[in-house]
């Protein structure tokens, strides 16, 4: 997953975790840290963050946020990426239902070397979820696509 898409997904997971009673303080703290970094460094995207918070399950909101993050240069912000990765890791452990809300899940992957997960597409609205990845070297996630099923055609009246 490219850095800005990962950051947008983390915002959505953080927002979704706040929607339920099961949100843990550690998830809320990680989300506050991520949102605080975004707010201090990239004020031009406040509206997009609010959009994702209002509809964390909506892929178009996350795509727009990722686009705006990229335009603002957030893709090169190592501290912001680390905060997003931390939130995703904490949410996978403490509030996995939040990750399911936004459609992201790969679970229990272990490798002595590196792990690369790329070009996954889910067309059923279920999305792709990531948790419990352990690698001896590096982990690379990129090219995730999720879409909702098309509405069935309606008969003409």
């Amino acid at each position: 997953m490219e850095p800005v898409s990962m950051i947008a997904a983390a915002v959505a997971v953080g927002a979704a975790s706040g929607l339920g009673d099961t949100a843990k303080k550690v998830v809320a703290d990680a989300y506050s840290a991520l949102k605080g970094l975004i707010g201090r460094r990239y004020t031009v995207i406040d509206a997009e963050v609010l959009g994702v918070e209002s509809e964390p399950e909506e892929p178009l909101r996350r795509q727009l946020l990722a686009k705006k993050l990229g335009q603002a240069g957030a893709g090169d912000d190592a501290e912001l990426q680390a905060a997003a990765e931390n939130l995703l890791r904490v949410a996978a452990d403490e509030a996995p239902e939040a990750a399911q809300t936004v459609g992201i899940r790969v679970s229990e992957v272990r490798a002595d070397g590196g792990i690369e997960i790329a070009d996954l597409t889910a067309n059923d609205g279920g999305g792709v979820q990531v948790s419990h990845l352990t690698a001896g070297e590096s982990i690379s996630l990129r090219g995730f696509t999720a879409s909702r099923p098309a509405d069935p055609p309606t008969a003409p009246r």
Side-chain angles (χ1 to χ4, degrees), residues 48-139:
E48 287 76 15
V49 171
L50 290 173
V52 170
E53 287 181 331
S54 71
E55 294 181 286
E57 74 288 348
E58 178 54 57
L60 293 175
R61 295 277 193 180
R62 295 190 308 270
Q63 289 170 4
L64 179 59
L65 176 57
K67 178 182 176 181
K68 295 295 186 173
L69 283 164
Q71 290 171 344
D76 297 324
D77 188 330
E79 188 177 357
L80 184 61
Q81 289 175 37
E85 289 170 356
N86 180 59
L87 172 56
L88 291 173
R89 184 176 47 255
V90 168
D93 290 341
E94 303 293 336
E97 69 284 351
Q100 293 172 7
T101 299
V102 300
I104 303 169
R105 183 167 193 181
V106 174
S107 185
E108 297 297 330
V109 178
R110 300 170 196 263
D112 290 334
I115 297 173
E116 179 174 347
I117 301 173
D119 303 324
L120 296 177
T121 302
N123 294 318
D124 64 356
V128 180
Q129 301 171 21
V130 180
S131 66
H132 304 289
L133 301 182
T134 305
E137 294 177 11
S138 64
I139 297 175

Coordinates of all heavy atoms in Angstrom, one line a residue, residues 48-139:
E48 N -10.9 16.9 4.3 CA -10.9 15.5 3.8 C -10.8 14.6 5.0 O -11.4 13.5 5.0 CB -9.7 15.3 2.9 CG -9.9 15.9 1.5 CD -9.7 17.4 1.4 OE1 -9.1 18.0 2.4 OE2 -10.1 18.0 0.4
V49 N -10.1 15.0 6.1 CA -10.0 14.2 7.3 C -11.4 14.1 7.9 O -11.9 13.0 8.3 CB -9.0 14.7 8.3 CG1 -9.2 14.0 9.7 CG2 -7.6 14.6 7.8
L50 N -12.1 15.2 8.0 CA -13.5 15.2 8.5 C -14.4 14.3 7.6 O -15.3 13.7 8.1 CB -14.1 16.6 8.5 CG -13.4 17.5 9.6 CD1 -13.9 19.0 9.5 CD2 -13.7 17.0 11.0
G51 N -14.2 14.4 6.3 CA -15.0 13.5 5.4 C -14.8 12.0 5.7 O -15.8 11.3 5.8
V52 N -13.6 11.6 5.9 CA -13.3 10.2 6.3 C -13.9 9.9 7.6 O -14.5 8.8 7.8 CB -11.8 9.9 6.2 CG1 -11.5 8.5 6.8 CG2 -11.2 10.0 4.8
E53 N -13.8 10.8 8.6 CA -14.4 10.6 9.9 C -15.9 10.4 9.8 O -16.5 9.6 10.6 CB -14.0 11.7 10.9 CG -12.6 11.7 11.3 CD -12.2 12.8 12.3 OE1 -12.8 13.9 12.2 OE2 -11.3 12.6 13.1
S54 N -16.5 11.1 8.9 CA -18.0 11.1 8.8 C -18.4 9.8 8.1 O -19.5 9.3 8.4 CB -18.6 12.3 8.0 OG -18.2 12.2 6.7
E55 N -17.6 9.2 7.2 CA -17.9 8.0 6.5 C -16.6 7.1 6.4 O -16.1 7.0 5.3 CB -18.5 8.3 5.1 CG -19.8 9.0 5.1 CD -20.2 9.2 3.7 OE1 -19.7 10.1 3.0 OE2 -21.1 8.5 3.2
P56 N -16.1 6.5 7.5 CA -14.9 5.8 7.4 C -15.0 4.6 6.5 O -13.9 4.1 6.0 CB -14.6 5.4 8.8 CG -15.9 5.5 9.6 CD -16.7 6.6 8.8
E57 N -16.2 4.0 6.3 CA -16.3 2.9 5.4 C -16.3 3.2 3.9 O -16.3 2.3 3.1 CB -17.6 2.1 5.8 CG -18.9 2.8 5.3 CD -19.3 4.0 6.1 OE1 -18.7 4.4 7.2 OE2 -20.2 4.7 5.6
E58 N -16.4 4.5 3.6 CA -16.5 4.9 2.2 C -15.1 5.0 1.5 O -14.3 5.9 1.8 CB -17.2 6.3 2.1 CG -17.4 6.9 0.7 CD -18.0 5.9 -0.2 OE1 -19.2 5.5 0.0 OE2 -17.4 5.6 -1.3
P59 N -14.9 4.1 0.5 CA -13.5 4.1 -0.1 C -13.2 5.4 -0.8 O -12.1 5.9 -0.9 CB -13.6 3.0 -1.1 CG -14.9 2.3 -0.9 CD -15.7 3.1 0.1
L60 N -14.2 6.1 -1.4 CA -14.0 7.4 -2.1 C -13.5 8.4 -1.2 O -12.6 9.3 -1.6 CB -15.2 7.8 -2.9 CG -15.7 6.9 -4.0 CD1 -17.0 7.4 -4.6 CD2 -14.6 6.8 -5.1
R61 N -14.0 8.5 0.1 CA -13.5 9.4 1.0 C -12.0 9.2 1.3 O -11.2 10.1 1.4 CB -14.2 9.3 2.4 CG -15.7 9.7 2.2 CD -15.9 11.2 2.4 NE -17.2 11.5 2.6 CZ -17.7 12.7 2.7 NH1 -16.9 13.7 2.6 NH2 -19.0 13.0 2.8
R62 N -11.6 7.9 1.5 CA -10.2 7.6 1.8 C -9.3 7.9 0.5 O -8.2 8.4 0.7 CB -10.1 6.1 2.1 CG -10.8 5.8 3.5 CD -10.5 4.4 4.0 NE -10.7 3.3 3.1 CZ -11.9 2.7 3.0 NH1 -12.9 3.0 3.7 NH2 -12.0 1.6 2.2
Q63 N -9.8 7.6 -0.6 CA -9.1 7.9 -1.9 C -8.8 9.4 -2.0 O -7.7 9.8 -2.4 CB -9.8 7.4 -3.1 CG -9.8 5.9 -3.2 CD -10.7 5.4 -4.3 OE1 -11.3 6.1 -5.0 NE2 -10.9 4.1 -4.4
L64 N -9.8 10.2 -1.7 CA -9.6 11.7 -1.8 C -8.6 12.1 -0.7 O -7.7 13.0 -1.0 CB -11.0 12.4 -1.6 CG -10.9 13.9 -1.7 CD1 -10.3 14.4 -3.0 CD2 -12.3 14.5 -1.4
L65 N -8.7 11.6 0.5 CA -7.7 12.0 1.5 C -6.3 11.6 1.1 O -5.4 12.4 1.2 CB -8.1 11.3 2.8 CG -7.1 11.5 4.0 CD1 -6.9 13.0 4.3 CD2 -7.6 10.8 5.2
A66 N -6.2 10.4 0.5 CA -4.9 9.9 0.1 C -4.3 10.8 -1.0 O -3.1 11.2 -1.0 CB -4.9 8.5 -0.4
K67 N -5.2 11.2 -1.9 CA -4.8 12.2 -3.0 C -4.3 13.5 -2.4 O -3.2 14.0 -2.8 CB -5.9 12.4 -4.0 CG -5.6 13.3 -5.1 CD -6.8 13.6 -6.0 CE -6.5 14.6 -7.1 NZ -7.7 14.8 -7.9
K68 N -5.1 14.0 -1.5 CA -4.7 15.3 -0.9 C -3.4 15.2 -0.1 O -2.6 16.1 -0.1 CB -5.9 15.9 -0.1 CG -7.1 16.2 -0.9 CD -6.8 17.3 -1.9 CE -8.1 17.8 -2.6 NZ -7.9 18.9 -3.4
L69 N -3.3 14.1 0.6 CA -2.0 13.9 1.4 C -0.8 13.8 0.5 O 0.2 14.4 0.7 CB -2.1 12.5 2.2 CG -3.0 12.6 3.4 CD1 -3.3 11.1 3.9 CD2 -2.3 13.3 4.6
G70 N -1.0 13.1 -0.7 CA 0.1 13.1 -1.7 C 0.4 14.5 -2.2 O 1.6 14.8 -2.3
Q71 N -0.6 15.2 -2.5 CA -0.4 16.6 -3.0 C 0.3 17.5 -2.0 O 1.1 18.4 -2.4 CB -1.7 17.2 -3.5 CG -2.3 16.6 -4.7 CD -3.7 17.1 -5.0 OE1 -4.4 17.7 -4.2 NE2 -4.1 16.8 -6.2
A72 N 0.1 17.2 -0.7 CA 0.7 18.0 0.3 C 2.1 17.5 0.7 O 2.7 18.1 1.6 CB -0.2 18.0 1.6
G73 N 2.5 16.4 0.1 CA 3.8 15.9 0.4 C 3.9 14.9 1.6 O 5.0 14.6 2.1
A74 N 2.8 14.5 2.1 CA 2.8 13.6 3.2 C 3.3 12.2 3.0 O 3.7 11.5 3.9 CB 1.3 13.5 3.8
G75 N 3.4 11.8 1.7 CA 4.0 10.5 1.4 C 5.4 10.4 1.7 O 5.9 9.3 1.9
D76 N 6.1 11.5 2.0 CA 7.5 11.5 2.3 C 7.7 11.7 3.8 O 8.9 11.9 4.3 CB 8.3 12.5 1.5 CG 8.3 12.2 0.1 OD1 8.3 11.0 -0.3 OD2 8.2 13.2 -0.8
D77 N 6.7 11.8 4.6 CA 6.7 12.2 6.0 C 6.9 10.9 6.8 O 5.9 10.2 7.1 CB 5.5 12.9 6.4 CG 5.5 13.5 7.8 OD1 6.2 12.9 8.7 OD2 4.9 14.5 8.0
A78 N 8.1 10.5 7.2 CA 8.4 9.3 7.9 C 7.7 9.2 9.3 O 7.2 8.2 9.7 CB 9.9 9.1 8.1
E79 N 7.6 10.3 10.0 CA 6.9 10.4 11.3 C 5.4 10.1 11.1 O 4.8 9.4 11.9 CB 7.2 11.7 12.0 CG 6.7 11.7 13.4 CD 7.0 13.0 14.2 OE1 7.7 13.9 13.6 OE2 6.6 13.1 15.3
L80 N 4.8 10.7 10.1 CA 3.4 10.5 9.9 C 3.1 9.0 9.5 O 2.2 8.4 10.0 CB 2.9 11.4 8.8 CG 1.4 11.4 8.5 CD1 0.6 11.8 9.7 CD2 1.1 12.3 7.3
Q81 N 4.0 8.5 8.6 CA 3.8 7.1 8.3 C 4.0 6.2 9.5 O 3.2 5.2 9.6 CB 4.9 6.7 7.2 CG 4.6 7.3 5.9 CD 5.7 7.0 4.9 OE1 6.2 6.0 4.9 NE2 6.0 8.0 4.0
A82 N 4.9 6.4 10.3 CA 5.1 5.6 11.5 C 3.9 5.7 12.5 O 3.5 4.7 13.0 CB 6.4 6.1 12.3
A83 N 3.3 6.9 12.6 CA 2.1 7.0 13.4 C 0.9 6.3 12.8 O 0.1 5.6 13.5 CB 1.7 8.5 13.5
A84 N 0.8 6.3 11.5 CA -0.3 5.5 10.8 C 0.0 4.0 11.0 O -1.0 3.3 11.3 CB -0.3 5.9 9.3
E85 N 1.2 3.6 10.8 CA 1.5 2.1 11.0 C 1.2 1.7 12.4 O 0.6 0.6 12.7 CB 3.0 1.9 10.7 CG 3.2 1.9 9.2 CD 4.7 1.9 8.8 OE1 5.6 1.9 9.8 OE2 5.0 1.9 7.6
N86 N 1.6 2.6 13.4 CA 1.3 2.3 14.8 C -0.2 2.1 15.0 O -0.7 1.2 15.7 CB 1.9 3.3 15.7 CG 1.6 3.1 17.2 OD1 2.0 2.0 17.7 ND2 0.9 4.0 17.8
L87 N -1.0 3.1 14.5 CA -2.4 3.0 14.7 C -3.0 1.7 14.1 O -3.8 1.0 14.7 CB -3.1 4.2 14.1 CG -4.7 4.2 14.0 CD1 -5.3 4.0 15.4 CD2 -5.2 5.5 13.4
L88 N -2.6 1.4 12.9 CA -3.1 0.1 12.3 C -2.7 -1.1 13.1 O -3.5 -2.0 13.3 CB -2.6 0.0 10.8 CG -3.1 1.0 9.8 CD1 -2.4 0.9 8.5 CD2 -4.6 0.9 9.7
R89 N -1.5 -1.1 13.6 CA -1.1 -2.3 14.4 C -1.9 -2.3 15.7 O -2.4 -3.4 16.1 CB 0.4 -2.1 14.7 CG 1.0 -3.3 15.5 CD 2.5 -3.1 15.7 NE 3.0 -1.8 16.2 CZ 3.5 -0.9 15.4 NH1 3.8 -1.1 14.1 NH2 3.9 0.3 15.9
V90 N -2.1 -1.2 16.4 CA -2.8 -1.2 17.7 C -4.3 -1.5 17.4 O -4.9 -2.3 18.2 CB -2.7 0.2 18.3 CG1 -3.7 0.4 19.5 CG2 -1.3 0.4 18.8
A91 N -4.9 -1.0 16.3 CA -6.3 -1.3 16.0 C -6.5 -2.8 15.7 O -7.5 -3.4 16.1 CB -6.7 -0.4 14.9
A92 N -5.5 -3.4 15.0 CA -5.6 -4.8 14.7 C -5.7 -5.6 16.0 O -6.4 -6.6 16.0 CB -4.4 -5.3 13.8
D93 N -4.9 -5.2 17.0 CA -4.9 -6.0 18.2 C -6.1 -5.6 19.1 O -6.6 -6.5 19.8 CB -3.6 -5.7 19.0 CG -2.4 -6.3 18.4 OD1 -2.5 -7.2 17.5 OD2 -1.3 -5.8 18.7
E94 N -6.4 -4.4 19.2 CA -7.4 -3.9 20.2 C -8.8 -3.7 19.7 O -9.8 -3.7 20.5 CB -6.9 -2.6 20.9 CG -5.5 -2.7 21.5 CD -5.5 -3.7 22.7 OE1 -6.6 -3.8 23.4 OE2 -4.5 -4.2 23.1
A95 N -9.0 -3.4 18.4 CA -10.3 -3.1 17.9 C -10.4 -3.6 16.4 O -10.6 -2.8 15.5 CB -10.5 -1.6 17.9
P96 N -10.2 -4.9 16.2 CA -10.2 -5.5 14.9 C -11.5 -5.2 14.1 O -11.5 -5.1 12.9 CB -10.0 -7.0 15.1 CG -10.4 -7.2 16.5 CD -10.1 -5.9 17.2
E97 N -12.6 -4.9 14.8 CA -13.9 -4.6 14.1 C -13.8 -3.3 13.4 O -14.4 -3.1 12.3 CB -15.0 -4.6 15.1 CG -15.0 -3.4 16.1 CD -14.0 -3.6 17.2 OE1 -13.4 -4.7 17.4 OE2 -13.8 -2.6 18.0
A98 N -12.9 -2.4 13.8 CA -12.7 -1.1 13.1 C -12.1 -1.4 11.7 O -12.5 -0.8 10.7 CB -11.8 -0.2 13.9
A99 N -11.1 -2.3 11.7 CA -10.4 -2.6 10.4 C -11.5 -3.3 9.5 O -11.5 -3.0 8.3 CB -9.2 -3.5 10.6
Q100 N -12.3 -4.1 10.0 CA -13.4 -4.8 9.2 C -14.3 -3.7 8.6 O -14.8 -3.9 7.5 CB -14.1 -5.8 10.0 CG -13.2 -7.0 10.4 CD -13.8 -7.9 11.4 OE1 -15.0 -7.8 11.7 NE2 -13.1 -8.9 11.8
T101 N -14.6 -2.7 9.4 CA -15.5 -1.7 8.9 C -15.0 -1.0 7.7 O -15.8 -0.7 6.8 CB -15.7 -0.6 10.0 OG1 -16.3 -1.2 11.2 CG2 -16.6 0.5 9.6
V102 N -13.7 -0.7 7.6 CA -13.2 -0.1 6.4 C -12.7 -1.0 5.4 O -12.2 -0.6 4.3 CB -12.1 1.0 6.8 CG1 -12.7 2.0 7.7 CG2 -10.9 0.3 7.4
G103 N -12.7 -2.3 5.6 CA -12.4 -3.3 4.6 C -10.9 -3.6 4.4 O -10.5 -3.5 3.3
I104 N -10.2 -3.9 5.5 CA -8.8 -4.2 5.3 C -8.5 -5.4 6.2 O -8.7 -5.3 7.4 CB -7.9 -3.0 5.8 CG1 -8.3 -1.8 5.0 CG2 -6.4 -3.3 5.7 CD1 -7.7 -0.5 5.6
R105 N -8.0 -6.6 5.7 CA -7.5 -7.7 6.5 C -6.7 -8.8 5.8 O -7.2 -9.4 4.9 CB -8.7 -8.4 7.1 CG -8.3 -9.5 8.1 CD -9.4 -10.0 8.9 NE -8.8 -10.8 10.0 CZ -9.5 -11.4 10.9 NH1 -10.8 -11.3 10.9 NH2 -8.9 -12.1 11.8
V106 N -5.5 -9.0 6.3 CA -4.6 -10.1 6.0 C -4.1 -10.5 7.4 O -3.7 -9.7 8.2 CB -3.4 -9.7 5.1 CG1 -2.5 -10.9 5.0 CG2 -3.9 -9.3 3.8
S107 N -4.2 -11.8 7.7 CA -3.9 -12.2 9.1 C -3.0 -13.3 9.2 O -2.9 -14.2 8.4 CB -5.3 -12.6 9.8 OG -5.1 -12.8 11.1
E108 N -2.2 -13.3 10.4 CA -1.3 -14.4 10.7 C -0.3 -14.8 9.6 O -0.3 -15.9 9.2 CB -2.0 -15.6 11.2 CG -2.9 -15.4 12.4 CD -2.1 -15.1 13.7 OE1 -1.0 -15.5 13.8 OE2 -2.7 -14.3 14.5
V109 N 0.5 -13.8 9.1 CA 1.5 -14.1 8.1 C 2.9 -13.9 8.8 O 3.2 -12.9 9.4 CB 1.4 -13.0 6.9 CG1 2.5 -13.3 5.9 CG2 0.0 -13.1 6.3
R110 N 3.7 -15.0 8.6 CA 5.1 -15.0 9.2 C 6.1 -15.4 8.2 O 5.8 -16.3 7.4 CB 5.1 -15.9 10.4 CG 4.2 -15.6 11.5 CD 4.2 -16.8 12.5 NE 3.0 -16.6 13.4 CZ 3.0 -16.1 14.6 NH1 4.1 -15.6 15.0 NH2 1.9 -16.0 15.3
A111 N 7.2 -14.7 8.1 CA 8.3 -15.1 7.2 C 9.6 -14.8 7.8 O 9.8 -13.8 8.5 CB 8.1 -14.4 5.9
D112 N 10.6 -15.6 7.5 CA 12.0 -15.3 8.0 C 12.6 -14.2 7.2 O 13.3 -13.4 7.7 CB 12.9 -16.5 7.8 CG 12.5 -17.6 8.9 OD1 11.9 -17.3 9.9 OD2 12.8 -18.8 8.6
G113 N 12.2 -14.1 5.9 CA 12.7 -13.0 5.0 C 11.7 -11.9 5.0 O 11.1 -11.5 6.0
G114 N 11.5 -11.3 3.8 CA 10.6 -10.2 3.7 C 9.2 -10.7 3.3 O 9.0 -11.8 2.8
I115 N 8.2 -9.8 3.5 CA 6.8 -10.1 3.0 C 6.4 -8.9 2.1 O 6.6 -7.8 2.4 CB 5.9 -10.1 4.2 CG1 6.2 -11.2 5.2 CG2 4.4 -10.2 3.8 CD1 5.4 -11.2 6.5
E116 N 5.9 -9.3 0.9 CA 5.3 -8.3 0.0 C 3.9 -8.8 -0.3 O 3.7 -9.9 -0.8 CB 6.1 -8.2 -1.2 CG 5.5 -7.2 -2.2 CD 6.4 -6.9 -3.4 OE1 7.6 -7.3 -3.4 OE2 5.9 -6.3 -4.4
I117 N 2.9 -7.9 -0.1 CA 1.6 -8.1 -0.4 C 1.2 -7.0 -1.4 O 1.2 -5.8 -1.0 CB 0.6 -8.1 0.8 CG1 1.1 -9.2 1.8 CG2 -0.8 -8.3 0.4 CD1 0.4 -9.2 3.1
A118 N 0.8 -7.4 -2.6 CA 0.6 -6.4 -3.6 C -0.6 -6.7 -4.5 O -0.9 -7.9 -4.7 CB 1.8 -6.2 -4.5
D119 N -1.2 -5.7 -5.0 CA -2.2 -5.8 -6.1 C -3.4 -6.7 -5.7 O -3.8 -7.6 -6.5 CB -1.6 -6.2 -7.4 CG -0.5 -5.3 -7.8 OD1 -0.7 -4.0 -7.6 OD2 0.5 -5.7 -8.4
L120 N -3.9 -6.5 -4.5 CA -5.1 -7.3 -4.1 C -6.4 -6.5 -4.4 O -6.4 -5.3 -4.2 CB -5.1 -7.5 -2.6 CG -3.9 -8.4 -2.1 CD1 -4.0 -8.5 -0.6 CD2 -4.0 -9.8 -2.7
T121 N -7.4 -7.1 -5.0 CA -8.6 -6.5 -5.3 C -9.8 -7.3 -4.7 O -9.8 -8.5 -4.9 CB -8.8 -6.4 -6.8 OG1 -7.7 -5.7 -7.4 CG2 -10.1 -5.7 -7.2
A122 N -10.7 -6.6 -4.0 CA -11.9 -7.2 -3.5 C -13.1 -6.5 -4.1 O -13.2 -5.3 -4.0 CB -11.9 -7.1 -2.0
N123 N -13.9 -7.2 -4.8 CA -15.0 -6.6 -5.5 C -16.3 -6.9 -4.8 O -17.4 -6.5 -5.3 CB -15.1 -7.1 -6.9 CG -13.9 -6.6 -7.8 OD1 -13.5 -5.5 -7.7 ND2 -13.4 -7.5 -8.6
D124 N -16.3 -7.5 -3.7 CA -17.6 -7.9 -3.0 C -17.9 -6.9 -1.9 O -18.8 -7.2 -1.1 CB -17.5 -9.3 -2.5 CG -16.4 -9.5 -1.4 OD1 -15.7 -8.5 -1.1 OD2 -16.3 -10.6 -0.9
G125 N -17.2 -5.9 -1.7 CA -17.4 -4.9 -0.6 C -16.8 -5.3 0.7 O -16.8 -4.6 1.7
G126 N -16.2 -6.5 0.8 CA -15.5 -7.0 2.0 C -14.2 -6.4 2.2 O -13.8 -6.3 3.3
G127 N -13.5 -6.0 1.2 CA -12.2 -5.3 1.3 C -11.1 -6.2 1.7 O -11.2 -7.4 1.6
V128 N -10.0 -5.6 2.1 CA -8.8 -6.3 2.4 C -8.4 -5.8 3.8 O -8.3 -4.7 4.1 CB -7.6 -5.9 1.4 CG1 -6.3 -6.6 1.8 CG2 -8.1 -6.2 0.0
Q129 N -8.1 -6.8 4.7 CA -7.7 -6.5 6.1 C -6.3 -7.0 6.4 O -5.9 -8.1 5.9 CB -8.7 -7.1 7.1 CG -10.1 -6.6 6.8 CD -11.1 -7.4 7.6 OE1 -10.8 -8.1 8.6 NE2 -12.4 -7.4 7.1
V130 N -5.5 -6.3 7.2 CA -4.1 -6.7 7.5 C -3.9 -6.7 9.0 O -4.2 -5.8 9.7 CB -3.1 -5.7 6.9 CG1 -1.7 -6.1 7.2 CG2 -3.3 -5.6 5.4
S131 N -3.4 -7.9 9.5 CA -3.0 -7.9 11.0 C -2.0 -9.1 11.2 O -2.0 -10.0 10.4 CB -4.2 -8.1 11.9 OG -4.8 -9.4 11.6
H132 N -1.3 -9.0 12.2 CA -0.3 -10.0 12.7 C 0.6 -10.4 11.6 O 0.8 -11.6 11.2 CB -1.1 -11.2 13.2 CG -2.0 -10.9 14.3 ND1 -1.6 -10.5 15.6 CD2 -3.4 -10.8 14.3 CE1 -2.6 -10.2 16.3 NE2 -3.7 -10.4 15.6
L133 N 1.4 -9.5 11.0 CA 2.4 -9.8 10.0 C 3.7 -9.8 10.8 O 4.1 -8.9 11.5 CB 2.5 -8.7 8.9 CG 1.2 -8.5 8.1 CD1 1.5 -7.5 7.0 CD2 0.8 -9.8 7.5
T134 N 4.5 -10.8 10.6 CA 5.9 -10.9 11.2 C 6.9 -11.3 10.1 O 6.7 -12.3 9.4 CB 5.9 -12.0 12.3 OG1 4.8 -11.8 13.2 CG2 7.2 -12.0 13.0
A135 N 7.9 -10.4 10.0 CA 8.9 -10.6 9.0 C 10.3 -10.5 9.6 O 10.5 -9.6 10.4 CB 8.7 -9.6 7.8
G136 N 11.2 -11.3 9.1 CA 12.6 -11.2 9.5 C 13.3 -10.0 8.9 O 14.2 -9.5 9.5
E137 N 12.7 -9.5 7.8 CA 13.3 -8.3 7.1 C 12.3 -7.2 7.0 O 12.0 -6.6 7.9 CB 13.9 -8.8 5.8 CG 15.1 -9.8 5.9 CD 15.6 -10.3 4.6 OE1 15.2 -9.7 3.6 OE2 16.4 -11.2 4.6
S138 N 11.7 -7.1 5.8 CA 10.8 -5.9 5.6 C 9.4 -6.4 5.2 O 9.2 -7.6 4.8 CB 11.3 -5.1 4.4 OG 11.3 -5.8 3.2
I139 N 8.5 -5.5 5.3 CA 7.1 -5.8 4.9 C 6.7 -4.7 4.0 O 6.8 -3.5 4.3 CB 6.1 -5.8 6.2 CG1 6.5 -6.9 7.1 CG2 4.7 -5.9 5.7 CD1 5.7 -6.9 8.4

